[in-house]
Amino acid sequence: MIPKIIQGGNFSDHRGTISYVNDFSFAAIERFYIISNSDENPIRAWHGHKLDAKNFYCISGSFKIHFVKIDDWENPSKDLTIETIFVSASESKIVHIPDGYANAIQSLEVGSKLISFSTLPLNRTSEDDVRFDINMWIIDG
């Protein structure tokens, strides 16, 4: 499986706005959490997942979500291609990153918040969680 965008939309009228992503299924979701990076450290990097798929939705501000496909979990290449997707609260889309990738979350505005839906139960995260140095793959801008 490859990373993809699940596009949603917004509906506005005199009562306000509803944002939605109707094509996203919660069937495989086990848990969720909200990411809010500090102003001093706007990049949270690199977090790899052998088994867990991640689904990101921006609820305030904006982010760049960077990701790399891991070629070797014990000794990954430093030359892996970084892919990047921009998300903002004004858009309504979910970025799906399947298992086998490492990601980096970069806040672009103060107060930005990102919700992450995970597919792996919490009791299995110890067998999945792989952390890499923030400088393992260099993020441009």
Side-chain angles (χ1 to χ4, degrees):
M1 187 175 267
I2 61 172
K4 65 181 179 180
I5 294 172
I6 305 167
Q7 192 62 53
N10 297 301
F11 172 79
S12 297
D13 65 14
H14 67 281
R15 299 168 292 176
T17 301
I18 296 174
S19 299
Y20 57 87
V21 184
N22 291 339
D23 292 331
F24 180 68
S25 172
F26 284 89
I29 302 304
E30 290 284 336
R31 57 197 168 85
F32 77 92
Y33 49 93
I34 297 173
I35 300 167
S36 182
N37 293 342
S38 70
D39 298 343
E40 299 79 27
N41 297 297
I43 299 177
R44 182 181 302 258
W46 286 95
H47 193 178
H49 299 282
K50 298 176 185 178
L51 307 171
D52 195 4
K54 296 294 183 183
N55 298 279
F56 297 109
Y57 183 85
C58 184
I59 55 176
S60 69
S62 60
F63 289 85
K64 285 184 180 176
I65 300 172
H66 309 280
F67 49 94
V68 295
K69 174 73 171 148
I70 302 299
D71 58 348
D72 179 342
W73 288 100
E74 300 302 319
N75 187 27
S77 171
K78 291 186 182 282
D79 298 326
L80 297 177
T81 300
I82 298 173
E83 297 182 65
T84 301
I85 296 176
F86 172 82
V87 296
S88 75
S90 63
E91 303 175 306
S92 189
K93 66 183 176 187
I94 291 178
V95 176
H96 171 79
I97 301 179
D99 56 60
Y101 284 78
N103 64 66
I105 307 304
Q106 181 179 7
S107 304
L108 300 177
E109 302 173 44
V110 172
S112 294
K113 291 185 180 184
L114 190 71
I115 191 166
S116 174
F117 300 102
S118 297
T119 60
L120 195 66
L122 189 59
N123 65 354
R124 294 193 57 205
T125 57
S126 64
E127 63 189 278
D128 178 62
D129 192 37
V130 181
R131 304 288 174 137
F132 300 101
D133 184 87
I134 192 169
N135 296 312
M136 181 69 175
W137 300 284
I138 303 301
I139 298 169
D140 294 327

